[in-house]
Amino acid sequence: TWIKHPEAPAALPASPVAPSALTLSELKELSAMGHVRGLLERLERIDQEEPASQAFTAQLRQLAKGFHLHELNRRLNEVDHE
């Protein structure tokens, strides 16, 4: 009989890299105004300007598309305090 060894657990994904402080400030302003289209456009530009932040922007984009602005604001404030 063959003995199967359990697979090693997958490594936890690294925390997404947040964009610059200035960019975070712009996102907070758009979110506070409830400007979803502006948020989505800014997230697209961040992907071009700061490619290391794409995992971060993908999470925010999903929240913005679902109109979950309260959660989006919470995440932005969370990053600001790290």
Side-chain angles (χ1 to χ4, degrees):
T1 61
W2 292 94
I3 299 174
K4 282 190 146 186
H5 294 283
E7 291 183 30
L12 292 174
S15 294
V17 176
S20 69
L22 177 61
T23 301
L24 286 172
S25 175
E26 292 171 359
L27 290 172
K28 285 181 184 181
E29 187 176 326
L30 290 166
S31 183
M33 292 187 302
H35 197 312
V36 174
R37 182 183 296 158
L39 272 168
L40 294 171
E41 289 171 358
R42 186 63 182 111
L43 291 169
E44 288 298 321
R45 286 199 338 260
I46 294 167
D47 286 346
Q48 301 301 315
E49 298 166 359
E50 302 179 52
S53 297
Q54 287 181 354
F56 182 84
T57 59
Q59 293 175 356
L60 295 184
R61 187 176 293 106
Q62 184 176 8
L63 291 170
K65 284 182 176 179
F67 295 91
H68 300 289
L69 297 180
H70 181 74
E71 177 63 16
L72 193 146
N73 284 324
R74 190 186 69 73
R75 296 249 179 115
L76 290 171
N77 287 323
E78 206 173 71
V79 170
D80 207 23
H81 295 292
E82 289 181 353

